[in-house]
Amino acid sequence: MDMRFFVLIGLAALWWLARNFEQRQRIVQLSQALGRYEIEKLMETVMDGYLRAMGEAAADRREQVLAYLRPLEHKLCQQLAALAADVATQPAAVWRISRVPVALPYATQWLSGLTVDARELLALHAKGLGQVIDNQTGRSERERAYMACAELLLLQHTCHWFCRSRSIASARLMARHQTRYAQVVASVSPATRSAYAAALAA
């Protein structure tokens, strides 16, 4: 059999091993950063609560659900802001995300010009969610809940992107929430969308 075939098989195996090793490292890194907080649990509770509230036909029942969620919303905002502050003190090199759509092992090192700072993304997610929850613009409860969900989905996308790749993060978004990445970006607040676009273009 042609020796080139075995060389290609060997290279593919090395690529697979290197990619999986790096991804495991990143999953552990993010898990350790999140370990001090209840962010994932709060996100799930708040998003499920929004869906339940918006499904209530009676206004008084909808308000009861939203009233229950308010302290959880603020707790989530506080914890997300604390997480962003924590990672901001850590080295930039370990929080870089590759802008290459597919997972290439250690692309953040050998394609450093095609990276995004996850610390910056976490900071803008924290700020964006806080502004939507505070609702100083006076959006209706339905608009506020819809936009807050979009903010949380974009945060979730960033976390999956950091651990895997942008394409996998987008695929998970579609599989779990039947929502396209572009739709989420279009649904967050204008301030978040502008800051997010600037971060990706930097």
Side-chain angles (χ1 to χ4, degrees), residues 96 99 112-117 120 195-202:
R96 303 302 296 180
R99 284 189 285 173
S112 57
L114 295 175
T115 61
V116 183
D117 191 340
E120 182 179 353
Y196 186 75
L200 298 193

Side-chain angles (χ1 to χ4, degrees), residues 7-49:
V7 171
L8 289 174
I9 291 295
L11 290 174
L14 287 173
W15 174 85
W16 184 84
L17 288 171
R19 184 201 64 180
N20 283 7
F21 180 73
E22 183 192 26
Q23 289 181 352
R24 284 196 299 271
Q25 284 183 313
R26 285 176 165 259
I27 290 169
V28 169
Q29 180 182 335
L30 184 60
S31 295
Q32 289 177 340
L34 289 168
R36 296 174 52 197
Y37 305 103
E38 301 175 275
I39 291 173
E40 293 173 286
K41 180 181 178 181
L42 288 167
M43 284 176 61
E44 182 178 359
T45 301
V46 168
M47 290 179 69
D48 287 347

Side-chain angles (χ1 to χ4, degrees), residues 16 20 27 47-48 70 76 80 95 99 118-119 125 129-130 132 138 143 162 174 181 184 199:
W16 184 84
N20 283 7
I27 290 169
M47 290 179 69
D48 287 347
R70 287 188 184 107
L76 174 56
L80 187 54
W95 286 100
R99 284 189 285 173
R119 301 173 309 166
H125 289 319
L129 179 64
V132 171
E143 291 173 329
F162 175 79
M174 177 59 75
Y181 168 61
V184 170

Side-chain angles (χ1 to χ4, degrees), residues 55 69 92 133 140 147 149 152 156 163 177:
L69 291 177
I133 295 300
S140 70
M147 191 170 288
C149 278
L152 291 171
Q156 192 175 75
C163 292
H177 303 285

Side-chain angles (χ1 to χ4, degrees), residues 91-128:
V94 300
W95 286 100
R96 303 302 296 180
I97 305 176
S98 173
R99 284 189 285 173
V100 179
V102 297
L104 296 178
Y106 302 102
T108 57
Q109 297 176 24
W110 53 275
L111 289 175
S112 57
L114 295 175
T115 61
V116 183
D117 191 340
R119 301 173 309 166
E120 182 179 353
L121 295 184
L122 288 173
L124 71 86
H125 289 319
K127 181 178 179 180

Side-chain angles (χ1 to χ4, degrees), residues 124 128 147 151 154 182-200:
L124 71 86
M147 191 170 288
E151 298 277 347
L154 190 58
Q183 181 182 350
V184 170
V185 174
S187 301
V188 296
S189 71
T192 296
R193 188 161 54 250
S194 177
Y196 186 75
L200 298 193

